[in-house]
């Protein structure tokens, strides 16, 4: 028995008792590789590391790393170490790589896969060395005594990362089988392990006091301090003190120890209040981190839970949690200090008129980027009260792009993140605010009151959307952007192209968040019941409609990243039923599900999370129900005309030129499930009104009703209400929407939201549906009449009559 074998046997049980590990595989190795042709690569030859890895691989059903690999009767090592305990043996891995490559030269059908395995005892990045102090020891290859203490104190917090495999067949075919290639393999593997540690633990952490001190020496901040002293007529010392106070208000105080404690607490809490957390796209961010990207997470904002949930998920994906831009309103005791240690840095709602604060914050953010800390911010600026994405605030995006103008060396990627819940704990508060109640100031008591009835919140959904590579996007949008880069420490000038480019970035981010949206039992059930008359359906009608939605969005996906559950309609209803959000009654004819008044308003929040996914199918269904027989051309024309409105309101990502293809795919699906019938002359017909198929199609159509009503109101005012100033037109539309809501029972709080109405008017003006007359008033363009008539036909007759009568009454009152 070798010395290593003896030590391994001696340490086996102590290491087993003292250690606990989590494993993340970057690919399903059992499906992607042939087990007998897998070779593992580790950085160091630590016996304790090997004992943990052996247990993890055995649990995953993969070959033991100490079993030899036999190729045509020749024994090869199944595990290779890049760094041996004795440095003179460091070439051993190169020798082993060379032997394997030469085996591929002899055997054309051989394909050995190399799987890099990183083992991390805790996730401490370590402290930045103080000036004049030596670097700390290598955390991945420590000495025996340091490893002993790591086992004792970090043995219960081990992460094993098995990265994507590398094909030696491809290496041999593309690069040859000589020693130079073997050296390249070893060199690439060493770089990979350095990047892997950086991705898992992040850059070395500097003490908060040191960060503040260094930033106060920053030339841009020193210049801003001097300007503050001059403009406010105060001393330099007083201006510097003010800058220090700003930094003290802003700066995070990241603690890996607290993050580890919070991980345990969050694991316990999530298991108590959630059935589970569904995560999609984790492999995307791991690939970015391992490729050395600076990652900026930009999630939608639904709840205070967002901060905790996203950081928890990122940590569980084997990555360092981000530094989070949090509203300064959350800096209250004891939450503020905890958030700071969890990586939060605080930001004021507005910088307007405070150049010193603006400079201090921008330089702090730029330091995070330049040091390589992942960052997270909510571009909506605040939590959505309606469930829709809010119009983005562009300040943080502008600062992100300005970070690139500082000569940022690492590639930077913005990762949109969709967050969804089957229960949002603040929904009741949101409804009160929408009814006019003042927003409550955040406090520990407010948060605890939301959690006082610890209950099951169903499932949480986190989807990492398609990353936006900042450099590549700038190359496409502004090819000469690199001309604006400044390599000094001075603040770069704000180029003319920045504002329009930032707006395009913001639009793409919001669209990519919606592209990653997820359906769940609650938002689908809310969609069905809110589309029904009297907000009630029988059990079978509801189950059938849930199947209609999920089949449609599986067959014609909104996007390649959108999540559609695999459950049947019945299974989805049983999941939704557990939340006690729906009134369930039963009589001799069976079960009836409905929404009462207050609950119906709350359920619009969940429906609005996914409205962008169903609005186009709903508009097509509405056209079909109102025309009985139709061709594709007029439907496509309608969707192409309203696409800019949908894009403005719901951030749909499909461009106008793709509408025809999208419409065709949806119509063909509706034919395939027999909700429409195709005739011999390539037209389409609906079933008769008394059929189940017509009922399901009509229920799908009604999801678009509120959107169409808003359009109809604005068009009617433009055509029949006379010339308006912009403010007058907006207010008239809001008043009419409120009247319509009261008369026809529209329960959505955002139905008469002035911001939505304003967005419609802005888009109509941009698309030339609105003209400005010589007096500066808005009037309808000649092409409005046709579109207005088409939309009116898609609505129920009583609603159209109410709109027209209200506009006529308003015009008469205006004339008198």
């Amino acid at each position: 028995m070798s010395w290593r074998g003896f030590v391994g046997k001696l340490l086996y049980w102590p290491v087993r008792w003292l250690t606990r590990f989590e494993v993340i595989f970057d690919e399903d190795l059992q499906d992607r590789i042939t087990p007998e042709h897998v070779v593992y690569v580790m950085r160091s030859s630590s016996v304790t590391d090997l004992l943990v890895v052996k247990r993890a691989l055995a649990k995953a059903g993969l070959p033991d790393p100490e079993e030899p690999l036999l190729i045509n009767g020749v024994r090869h090592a199944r595990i290779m170490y890049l760094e041996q305990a004795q440095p003179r043996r460091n070439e051993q891995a190169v020798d082993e790589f060379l032997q394997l490559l030469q085996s591929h030269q002899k055997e054309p059908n051989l394909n050995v896969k190399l799987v890099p395995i990183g083992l991390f005892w805790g996730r401490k990045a370590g402290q930045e060395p103080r000036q004049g102090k030596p670097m700390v020891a290598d955390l991945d290859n420590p000495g025996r005594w340091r490893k002993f203490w790591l086992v004792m104190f970090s043995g219960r917090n081990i992460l094993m990362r098995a990265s994507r495999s590398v094909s030696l067949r491809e290496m041999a075919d593309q690069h040859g089988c000589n020693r130079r290639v073997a050296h390249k393999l070893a060199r690439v593997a060493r770089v990979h392990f350095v990047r892997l540690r950086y991705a898992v633990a992040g850059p070395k952490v500097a003490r908060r006091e040191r960060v503040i001190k260094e930033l106060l020496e920053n030339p841009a901040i020193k210049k801003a301090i001097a300007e503050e002293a001059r403009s406010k007529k105060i001393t330099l010392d007083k201006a510097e003190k003010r800058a220090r106070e700003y930094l003290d208000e802003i700066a995070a105080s990241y603690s890996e120890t607290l993050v580890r404690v919070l991980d345990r607490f969050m694991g316990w809490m999530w298991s108590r209040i959630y059935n589970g957390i569904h995560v999609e796209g984790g492999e995307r961010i791991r690939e970015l981190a391992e490729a050395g990207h600076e990652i900026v997470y930009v999630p939608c904002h639904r709840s205070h839970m967002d901060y905790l949930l996203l950081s928890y998920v990122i940590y569980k994906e084997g990555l360092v949690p981000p530094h989070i831009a949090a509203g300064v309103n959350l800096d209250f005791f004891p939450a503020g200090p905890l958030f700071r240690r969890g990586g939060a840095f605080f930001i004021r709602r507005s910088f307007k008129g405070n150049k010193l604060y603006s400079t201090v914050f921008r330089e702090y953010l730029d330091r995070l980027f330049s040091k390589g800390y992942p960052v997270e911010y909510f571009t909506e600026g605040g939590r959505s009260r309606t469930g829709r994405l809010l119009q983005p605030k562009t300040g943080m995006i502008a600062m992100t792009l300005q970070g690139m103008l500082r000569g940022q060396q690492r590639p930077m990627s913005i990762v949109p993140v969709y967050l969804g819940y089957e229960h949002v704990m603040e929904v009741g508060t949101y409804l009160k605010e929408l009814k006019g109640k003042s927003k409550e100031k955040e406090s520990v008591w407010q948060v605890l009151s939301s959690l006082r009835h610890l209950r099951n919140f169903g499932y949480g959904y986190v989807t990492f959307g398609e990353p936006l590579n900042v450099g590549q996007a700038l190359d496409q949008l502004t090819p000469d952007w690199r001309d604006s880069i400044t390599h000094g420490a001075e603040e770069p000038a704000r180029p003319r192209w920045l504002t329009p480019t930032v707006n395009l970035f913001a639009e793409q981010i919001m669209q990519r968040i919606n592209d990653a949206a997820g359906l769940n039992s609650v938002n689908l059930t809310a969609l069905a019941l809110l589309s029904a008359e009297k907000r009630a359906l029988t059990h079978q009608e509801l189950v059938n409609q849930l199947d209609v939605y999920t089949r449609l969005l599986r067959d014609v996906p909104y996007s390649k990243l959108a999540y559609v559950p695999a459950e049947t309609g019945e299974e989805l209803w049983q999941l939704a039923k557990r939340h006690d959000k729906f009134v369930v009654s039963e009589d001799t004819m069976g079960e009836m599900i409905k929404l009462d008044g207050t609950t119906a308003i709350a359920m619009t929040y969940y429906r609005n999370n996914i409205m962008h996914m169903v609005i186009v199918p709903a508009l097509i269904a509405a056209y079909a129900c109102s025309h009985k027989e139709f061709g594709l051309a007029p439907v496509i024309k309608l969707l192409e005309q309203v696409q800019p409105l949908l894009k403005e309101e719901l951030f749909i990502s499909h461009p106008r030129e793709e509408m025809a293809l999208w419409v065709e795919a949806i119509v063909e699906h509706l034919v395939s499930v027999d909700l429409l019938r195709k005739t011999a002359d390539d037209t389409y017909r609906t079933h008769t009104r008394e059929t189940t198929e017509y009922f399901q199609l009509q229920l799908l159509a009604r999801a678009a009703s509120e959107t169409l009503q808003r359009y109809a109101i604005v068009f009617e005012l433009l055509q029949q209400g006379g010339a308006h100033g912009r403010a007058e037109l907006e207010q008239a539309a809001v008043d009419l929407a409120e009247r319509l809501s009261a008369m026809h029972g529209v329960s959505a709080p955002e139905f008469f939201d002035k911001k939505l109405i304003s967005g419609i008017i802005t888009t109509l003006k941009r698309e030339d549906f609105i003209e400005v007359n010589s007096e500066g008033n808005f009037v309808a363009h000649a092409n409005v009449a046709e579109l207005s008539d088409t939309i009116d036909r898609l609505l129920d007759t009583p609603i159209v009559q109410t709109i027209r009568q209200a506009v006529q009454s308003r015009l008469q009152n205006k004339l008198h």
Side-chain angles (χ1 to χ4, degrees):
M1 179 185 294
S2 68
W3 171 250
R4 281 178 59 83
F6 172 74
V7 174
K9 284 188 176 295
L10 188 66
L11 294 179
Y12 177 82
W13 285 110
V15 171
R16 187 178 181 91
W17 289 330
L18 291 169
T19 58
R20 183 174 63 188
F21 56 83
E22 293 183 38
V23 180
I24 294 176
F25 291 96
D26 283 355
E27 64 181 345
D28 191 338
L29 294 179
Q30 289 179 312
D31 289 344
R32 298 290 299 274
I33 65 174
T34 306
E36 60 269 22
H37 286 163
V38 60
V39 170
Y40 310 108
V41 182
M42 294 181 65
R43 183 176 173 187
S44 70
S45 57
S46 164
V47 174
T48 49
D49 283 7
L50 180 61
L51 291 173
V52 174
V53 168
K54 280 167 64 74
R55 284 166 53 204
L57 293 174
K59 189 174 181 181
L62 293 168
D64 189 309
E66 291 192 308
E67 290 179 2
L69 173 65
L70 294 176
I71 301 175
N72 289 334
V74 179
R75 295 165 65 94
H76 295 268
R78 194 180 287 277
I79 187 164
M80 301 177 184
Y81 303 105
L82 297 177
E83 297 176 12
Q84 300 282 351
Q86 299 175 357
R88 61 184 174 81
R89 297 180 60 193
N90 281 348
E91 284 289 302
Q92 183 175 329
V94 176
D95 295 336
E96 291 168 341
F97 283 142
L98 180 59
Q99 291 169 16
L100 284 174
L101 286 168
Q102 290 172 343
S103 297
H104 285 73
Q105 194 173 35
K106 298 173 185 176
E107 293 291 330
N109 296 323
L110 181 64
N111 188 12
V112 171
K113 297 289 186 74
L114 296 181
V115 179
I117 292 180
L119 202 72
F120 303 93
W121 298 74
R123 306 221 201 154
K124 286 191 175 180
Q127 291 282 336
E128 283 188 5
R130 297 181 184 179
Q131 194 169 11
K133 298 288 185 179
M135 291 287 290
V136 297
D138 185 349
L139 294 173
D140 288 323
N141 198 15
R144 290 191 180 93
W145 277 110
R146 186 174 177 83
K147 195 54 171 275
F148 171 77
W149 294 116
L150 281 174
V151 173
M152 296 299 293
F153 292 105
S154 299
R156 311 296 285 178
N157 185 36
I158 300 172
L159 173 67
M160 190 189 102
R161 281 284 303 275
S163 302
R164 289 187 176 275
S165 57
V166 176
S167 168
L168 282 184
R169 165 53 56 200
E170 292 179 9
M171 290 293 296
D173 291 346
Q174 294 176 15
H175 303 286
C177 302
N178 53 46
R179 194 170 188 82
R180 181 182 59 80
V181 178
H183 266 292
K184 182 179 179 181
L185 267 173
R187 186 170 62 253
V188 169
R190 287 189 177 93
V191 172
H192 170 79
F193 282 118
V194 170
R195 285 182 171 177
L196 187 60
R197 166 158 284 285
Y198 203 87
V200 169
K204 294 188 181 300
V205 178
R207 295 182 182 277
R208 188 168 183 268
E209 296 78 10
R210 177 179 171 181
V211 172
I212 293 174
K213 183 179 178 181
E214 288 180 354
L215 283 170
L216 287 172
E217 295 299 317
N218 177 287
I221 291 181
K222 290 183 79 171
K223 181 179 178 182
I225 289 171
E227 289 181 4
E228 178 81 358
R230 185 169 55 254
S231 63
K232 300 292 175 64
K233 298 181 180 179
I234 56 177
T235 65
L236 273 175
D237 286 345
K238 191 169 183 179
E240 182 177 323
K241 182 181 178 183
R242 189 170 294 173
R244 184 183 293 274
E245 288 171 351
Y246 290 155
L247 282 167
D248 190 56
E249 177 186 296
I250 293 165
S253 182
Y254 183 79
S255 165
E256 192 275 339
T257 302
L258 177 69
V259 169
R260 190 168 68 244
V261 171
L262 286 175
D263 170 52
R264 299 286 171 82
F265 172 72
M266 289 299 160
W268 169 83
M269 189 177 79
W270 296 136
S271 67
R272 292 288 303 274
I273 66 176
Y274 287 108
N275 290 334
I277 301 169
H278 185 93
V279 180
E280 295 276 343
E283 70 285 349
R284 288 187 205 100
I285 54 170
R286 290 199 297 272
E287 286 178 10
L288 287 175
E290 289 172 29
H293 282 237
E294 168 67 22
I295 299 179
V296 180
Y297 300 95
V298 184
C300 58
H301 203 1
R302 312 281 193 215
S303 165
H304 281 315
M305 281 290 185
D306 297 344
Y307 302 98
L308 304 175
L309 178 62
L310 184 52
S311 290
Y312 176 78
V313 166
I314 291 170
Y315 191 77
K316 286 301 183 186
E317 289 294 324
L319 299 171
V320 61
H323 278 55
I324 307 166
V328 74
N329 56 309
L330 295 177
D331 189 14
F332 56 83
F333 184 82
L338 283 174
F339 286 156
R340 282 190 197 279
R341 286 169 176 77
F345 59 98
F346 293 96
I347 179 173
R348 295 183 179 182
R349 291 286 181 191
S350 174
F351 303 175
K352 192 173 182 180
N354 192 336
K355 188 173 181 181
L356 178 60
Y357 181 88
S358 177
T359 302
V360 164
F361 183 85
R362 186 167 51 249
E363 294 302 316
Y364 177 79
L365 183 65
D366 187 65
R367 186 185 192 278
L368 294 180
F369 290 151
S370 63
K371 292 290 185 180
Y373 297 103
V375 171
E376 171 191 333
Y377 53 76
F378 298 90
T379 192
E380 293 171 280
R383 290 166 292 157
S384 170
R385 266 61 179 172
T386 65
R388 296 168 178 261
L389 289 185
L390 304 177
Q391 290 296 321
K393 312 286 190 203
T394 57
M396 290 294 289
I397 300 173
M399 290 184 193
T400 301
L401 298 196
Q402 285 176 304
M404 293 292 288
L405 300 183
R406 294 289 185 91
Q408 167 80 14
Q409 297 300 310
R410 299 168 69 225
M412 178 183 285
S413 286
I414 296 174
V415 178
V417 187
Y418 173 85
L419 300 173
Y421 304 88
E422 289 186 322
H423 177 78
V424 175
M425 63 182 185
E426 300 101 328
V427 161
T429 304
Y430 294 164
L431 294 179
K432 292 176 184 176
E433 291 177 20
L434 289 168
K435 290 178 180 177
K437 183 179 178 182
S438 298
K439 181 179 180 289
E440 293 181 24
K441 184 179 180 181
E442 274 79 2
S443 69
V444 65
W445 307 114
Q446 185 188 16
V447 175
L448 290 176
S449 66
S450 299
L451 291 171
R452 68 183 183 275
H453 302 300
L454 203 58
R455 51 170 289 181
N456 188 291
F457 288 173
Y459 283 89
Y461 296 82
V462 179
T463 304
F464 298 98
E466 184 181 355
L468 183 61
N469 186 300
V470 176
Q472 292 177 3
L474 284 174
D475 287 340
Q476 293 177 359
L477 297 172
T478 314
D480 59 349
W481 69 274
R482 286 183 174 82
D483 296 342
S484 303
I485 291 178
T486 58
H487 294 283
E490 288 289 335
E491 179 182 343
R494 188 181 180 94
R496 289 184 179 180
W497 55 260
L498 186 64
T499 297
T501 302
V502 164
N503 291 336
L504 289 171
F505 264 78
E507 184 180 281
Q508 285 195 38
I509 289 167
M510 305 311 282
Q511 289 173 359
R512 292 187 187 202
I513 290 173
N514 266 350
D515 281 350
L519 303 175
N520 63 54
S521 65
V522 172
N523 56 36
L524 284 168
T525 303
L527 175 65
L529 291 173
L530 289 168
S531 299
E533 283 192 44
K534 308 295 184 183
R535 299 187 289 269
L537 292 170
T538 67
H539 176 274
Q540 197 57 51
E541 287 170 344
L542 175 59
V543 167
N544 289 345
Q545 197 63 25
L546 295 178
D547 282 327
V548 167
Y549 297 143
T550 53
R551 280 201 303 264
L552 169 62
L553 289 165
R554 282 192 209 108
D555 289 355
V556 190
Y558 174 78
S559 79
K560 63 182 180 180
L561 301 183
Y563 170 70
V564 181
E567 288 86 356
T568 64
E570 179 61 42
E571 290 167 338
L572 288 169
W573 163 237
Q574 293 304 323
L575 287 171
K577 188 177 181 179
R578 292 188 293 182
H579 292 281
D580 295 327
K581 297 179 184 295
F582 312 99
V583 179
V584 182
S585 59
E586 193 163 355
D587 56 24
T588 56
M589 292 179 286
E591 192 175 71
M592 178 76 72
I593 301 104
K594 64 180 180 179
L595 295 170
D596 61 28
T598 303
T599 307
I601 297 173
M603 295 310 292
T604 61
Y605 186 94
Y606 301 97
R607 176 202 63 185
N608 289 347
N609 289 175
I610 59 168
M611 268 304 299
H612 64 284
M613 297 176 72
V614 297
I615 186 65
V616 169
L619 287 169
I620 294 168
Y623 194 95
C625 288
S626 64
H627 289 76
K628 311 310 177 198
E629 184 171 344
F630 61 95
L632 281 178
V635 184
I636 292 170
K637 181 180 179 181
L638 170 64
L639 267 297
E640 288 177 342
Q641 286 179 310
V642 300
Q643 185 272 348
L645 294 167
L646 300 178
K647 182 180 177 182
E648 170 71 22
E649 181 179 342
L650 296 170
F651 296 105
I652 65 167
S653 57
H654 298 253
R656 184 179 294 179
E657 55 269 22
E658 290 182 6
M659 279 292 161
L661 189 61
W662 195 8
V663 169
E664 289 173 18
I666 292 170
V667 170
E668 288 304 318
H669 167 82
L670 296 175
V671 171
S672 71
V673 295
D674 200 30
L675 293 186
L676 287 176
R677 291 179 294 177
K678 190 173 184 179
T679 64
D681 58 351
D682 285 338
T683 59
Y684 300 88
R685 295 176 61 90
T686 60
H687 290 268
T688 55
R689 285 180 174 273
E690 65 275 8
T691 60
T692 299
E693 291 80 6
Y694 185 88
F695 176 79
Q696 292 174 348
L697 188 68
Q698 189 178 51
L699 207 56
L700 174 60
R702 284 182 177 153
S705 179
E706 292 168 17
T707 299
L708 290 170
Q709 288 177 50
R710 277 192 296 274
Y711 298 166
I713 287 169
V714 175
F715 284 146
E716 194 68 26
L717 284 167
L718 284 169
Q719 291 184 102
Q720 308 299 332
H724 303 78
R726 182 185 180 107
E728 181 188 0
L729 178 59
E730 287 180 1
Q731 190 56 53
V734 169
D735 293 343
L736 184 48
E738 287 183 356
R739 183 183 184 90
L740 204 63
S741 174
M743 294 185 66
H744 293 277
V746 178
S747 55
E750 81 282 357
F751 179 66
F752 42 82
D753 183 359
K754 193 169 186 176
K755 291 180 181 177
L756 279 181
I757 300 292
S758 178
I760 292 170
I761 292 169
T762 298
T763 306
L764 290 175
K765 185 174 182 294
R766 187 177 64 239
E767 297 297 316
D768 295 327
F769 284 102
I770 291 177
E771 294 180 335
V772 181
N773 64 17
S774 58
E775 296 176 354
N777 290 329
F778 287 7
V779 294
H781 189 277
N783 59 7
V784 164
E786 181 184 356
L787 179 57
S788 178
D789 290 344
T790 301
I791 287 174
D792 285 351
R793 190 170 177 182
L794 305 186
L795 293 168
D796 292 338
T797 302
I799 289 174
V800 176
Q801 289 176 341
T802 300
I803 293 172
R804 290 177 177 173
Q805 289 170 4
V807 171
Q808 287 297 322
S809 297
R810 184 182 180 282
L811 181 59
Q812 290 173 6
N813 292 335
K814 186 178 179 181
L815 293 173
H816 292 316

